[in-house]
Amino acid sequence: MSTEQPRPRWSGPVAPAVGDSGIREALTRLDEPVYILRGPHGLGAAAGGAVGPDGEHEVVAAVPPLGPERLGSAAFLRAHGVRQAYMSGAMAGGIASADLVIALARAGYLASYGAAGLLPETVEKALRRFAAEIPGLPYACNLIHSPSEERLERTAVDLYLRHRVRCVEASAFLGLTPHIVRYRLAGLRAGGPHGVLAENRVIAKVSRTEIAELFMRPAPEPMVRALLAEGAIDEEQARLAARVPLADDITVEADSGGHTDRRPLPAQLPVLLRRRNALTGELDWPERIRVGAAGGIGTPEAAWSAFAMGADYVVTGSVNQSCVEAGTSERVKEMLAQADLADCEMAPAADMFEMGVELQVLKRGTLFPMRARQLYELYRAHDGIDDLPADVRARLEQQVFRRPLEDVWTETAAYFERRDPAQLSRAAGHPKRKAALVYRWYLGMASRWAKTGDADRAVDYQIWCGPAMGSFNSWVRGTYLAAPRNRRVADVARHLMAGAAYHQRLSMLRAAGLALSPALADYPVPQPAPEDGILTAVRP
């Protein structure tokens, strides 16, 4: 005698839609329950309604309402005051522009302003815009580690504290500095359910476990004592320092644009999650440090896979650089919109040139990666620019710098005289350091040429980019988002997160044993509403 229970029957008010298109349409209605039904005409689906004992359609699987706001950590949403566990990471030089930050804040997402490499007066102008245009809405500002220009890091913290910036994204740190510690501790005060409130939030973007652990622990006591002695923090803040981790959130940076170790996210994220869990128990933190995922997030599948692995939030970067609000040139956006998966390469970083640190850039359509590597090889092989062979120097002056190297040095010296005179002091009497500053002129200008769209230097554009850009382009091909003029950061965020929720539903159906058609495996980019005024013509 069979003990198998009969399957429930559909008795909802809405007639099931049969076939792949009907199932897809139902699954994209994320705020309603969906029932997969088997009837006389095959598989179908219905959103909403209910099941009962009558009807001709057998219910073979069901998924509850699962909107994008349910992905990731609810604690992340509460802490940052956002609607979804999604963040746009900082892109230096203002590429993550004030316009980009404001657009995402108004749509309920967190975005980090790309303050790295900008003059203090430029950053301050953006902070004033945020105070005027998005008061009370969430945003972050980038604080990049500057080992060769310590003054910039210190000045940025001065600005953030003065303007009461409540969240920073700390990136490219090779170790802790007094400046990031000062920012965190200056926001501590007694209160709250756990006896301490941390008003200055830190999101640490890291790619190495040992650096992540520094941010998961309290501020080092020697730094705390030194800051107290300097008057940078008060007695209460020094006392409370041991009761909070240095960061609230740790972003695991995998194979991303810019500074990256190019580690695969599926290998890297579980290691950081495991370490977070161990330290939470060891240090008895009252609240769990949240761990997010960055690098390679360019499709709904990538976003969902990060959440499925346990990420509390996801961070995008390269894909936002091709959007309307990004602070870069239209020419660069067109180049990014044509990038494929294999169109990225590592090149020396301007801010850590002497240390041999590299970052990931676009190689399609530009000679920058090759020329930057050649400059680093010359830096290592020679004691200074006067030590260069005559033919090598002539080639550099004609093809790369397009001016005499002494003129480059004059311009470089004038720049650092305004920005960081200590650089010139360290270079005085040290030809190799002087050469490094000259070579860094090219690296710095290459990103500026790209940002401004200097047509005469297009072959030298430095464009920070990771493989997520090629993945995104493949996903949106044939849709309105194929054209950069239609890419708006809030739209990109909305479609990525809605698509991730769609893929969450697919995974639940597969786990229930349902064999789905391959036609359902891709989340379709919805067409914009006519009132949006978006041109829907796409490339062939």
Side-chain angles (χ1 to χ4, degrees), residues 254-255 262-269:
D255 193 3
R262 303 184 91 178
R263 294 193 177 110
L265 188 63
Q268 191 175 16
L269 181 59

Side-chain angles (χ1 to χ4, degrees), residues 258-300:
H259 288 286
T260 178
D261 288 331
R262 303 184 91 178
R263 294 193 177 110
L265 188 63
Q268 191 175 16
L269 181 59
V271 173
L272 267 294
L273 288 170
R274 196 173 295 115
R275 190 62 189 137
R276 184 273 310 273
N277 295 340
L279 283 174
T280 299
E282 174 191 328
L283 299 171
D284 195 28
W285 293 131
E287 294 186 9
R288 192 183 70 164
I289 298 169
R290 297 172 293 270
V291 176
I297 310 295
T299 61

Side-chain angles (χ1 to χ4, degrees), residues 89-259:
M91 293 169 284
I95 294 173
S97 66
D99 288 339
L100 184 151
V101 171
I102 290 169
L104 285 173
R106 287 174 173 166
Y109 303 103
L110 182 64
S112 181
Y113 176 60
L118 297 178
L119 293 172
E121 51 266 33
T122 303
V123 177
E124 191 161 25
K125 182 178 179 182
L127 298 181
R128 290 197 179 102
R129 279 194 66 189
F130 300 152
E133 298 181 38
I134 50 171
L137 293 182
Y139 73 91
C141 284
N142 184 219
L143 179 66
I144 195 167
H145 181 38
S146 304
S148 61
E149 297 183 67
E150 180 268 347
R151 177 185 177 186
L152 296 181
E153 199 176 322
R154 182 180 69 251
T155 303
V157 170
D158 290 341
L159 271 176
Y160 297 159
L161 293 178
R162 186 163 68 249
H163 286 269
R164 300 176 66 83
V165 173
R166 291 308 188 193
C167 185
V168 301
E169 182 191 33
S171 60
F173 276 76
L174 304 175
L176 298 182
T177 68
H179 310 300
I180 183 62
V181 173
R182 174 189 165 211
Y183 173 81
R184 175 64 161 176
L185 301 191
L188 298 184
R189 63 182 177 88
H194 307 298
V196 56
L197 294 174
E199 294 183 330
N200 292 346
R201 299 185 303 277
V202 173
I203 302 172
K205 186 159 59 178
V206 302
S207 57
R208 300 184 183 184
T209 307
E210 64 273 19
I211 302 300
E213 184 164 336
L214 294 177
F215 281 96
M216 293 181 187
R217 292 184 176 276
E221 288 187 17
M223 282 192 183
V224 176
R225 290 195 300 269
L227 289 169
L228 178 61
E230 295 169 8
I233 59 174
D234 60 32
E235 291 278 0
E236 181 180 65
Q237 291 162 344
R239 176 177 57 81
L240 296 173
R243 301 179 59 181
V244 294
L246 197 57
D248 306 278
D249 304 274
I250 303 290
T251 300
V252 178
E253 186 176 28
D255 193 3
S256 64
H259 288 286

Side-chain angles (χ1 to χ4, degrees), residues 192-442:
H194 307 298
V196 56
L197 294 174
E199 294 183 330
N200 292 346
R201 299 185 303 277
V202 173
I203 302 172
K205 186 159 59 178
V206 302
S207 57
R208 300 184 183 184
T209 307
E210 64 273 19
I211 302 300
E213 184 164 336
L214 294 177
F215 281 96
M216 293 181 187
R217 292 184 176 276
E221 288 187 17
M223 282 192 183
V224 176
R225 290 195 300 269
L227 289 169
L228 178 61
E230 295 169 8
I233 59 174
D234 60 32
E235 291 278 0
E236 181 180 65
Q237 291 162 344
R239 176 177 57 81
L240 296 173
R243 301 179 59 181
V244 294
L246 197 57
D248 306 278
D249 304 274
I250 303 290
T251 300
V252 178
E253 186 176 28
D255 193 3
S256 64
H259 288 286
T260 178
D261 288 331
R262 303 184 91 178
R263 294 193 177 110
L265 188 63
Q268 191 175 16
L269 181 59
V271 173
L272 267 294
L273 288 170
R274 196 173 295 115
R275 190 62 189 137
R276 184 273 310 273
N277 295 340
L279 283 174
T280 299
E282 174 191 328
L283 299 171
D284 195 28
W285 293 131
E287 294 186 9
R288 192 183 70 164
I289 298 169
R290 297 172 293 270
V291 176
I297 310 295
T299 61
E301 296 93 329
W304 161 237
S305 67
F307 287 122
M309 285 190 291
D312 291 308
Y313 59 97
V314 294
V315 181
T316 56
S318 298
V319 298
N320 301 317
Q321 192 175 188
S322 67
C323 290
V324 171
E325 298 91 344
T328 192
S329 65
E330 297 305 313
R331 186 163 187 161
V332 163
K333 293 173 186 178
E334 288 288 346
M335 293 170 69
L336 288 167
Q338 297 176 39
D340 209 338
L341 282 174
D343 288 338
C344 301
E345 192 170 349
M346 299 300 288
D351 56 346
M352 301 182 189
F353 180 81
E354 296 93 325
M355 302 167 66
V357 174
E358 294 187 320
L359 39 67
Q360 189 159 210
V361 298
L362 186 70
K363 69 177 179 180
R364 180 175 180 173
T366 173
L367 298 177
F368 172 79
M370 178 187 70
R371 289 179 169 177
R373 282 196 304 272
Q374 289 174 346
L375 292 178
Y376 184 68
E377 290 166 4
L378 292 174
Y379 167 75
R380 294 190 60 190
H382 301 279
D383 291 332
I385 58 176
D386 293 334
D387 189 45
L388 294 173
D391 60 328
V392 172
R393 180 165 181 157
R395 178 175 54 80
L396 290 179
E397 292 180 336
Q398 293 170 11
Q399 298 179 9
V400 180
F401 291 91
R402 300 191 189 178
R403 64 183 69 187
L405 292 185
E406 286 304 327
D407 290 355
V408 174
W409 170 246
T410 299
E411 184 176 325
T412 301
Y415 172 80
F416 281 111
E417 190 65 47
R418 299 189 307 272
R419 180 179 174 120
D420 189 2
Q423 294 280 343
L424 301 179
S425 300
R426 289 195 294 271
H430 295 84
K432 200 172 186 72
R433 285 184 177 173
K434 175 181 176 180
L437 295 181
V438 169
Y439 298 149
R440 283 171 56 189
W441 176 94
Y442 171 77

Side-chain angles (χ1 to χ4, degrees), residues 16-86:
V18 179
D20 292 343
S21 61
I23 296 175
R24 179 187 291 108
E25 195 278 333
L27 288 173
T28 57
R29 294 167 68 176
L30 300 171
D31 294 329
E32 300 180 38
V34 170
Y35 301 91
I36 306 300
L37 312 167
R38 181 179 287 114
H41 301 292
L43 282 181
V51 293
D54 301 319
E56 62 179 358
H57 292 90
E58 181 184 43
V59 178
V60 296
V63 289
L66 288 169
E69 69 281 353
R70 299 193 182 192
L71 296 171
S73 165
F76 182 88
L77 307 187
R78 290 192 302 270
H80 297 286
V82 293
R83 298 174 186 169
Q84 297 179 20
Y86 177 99

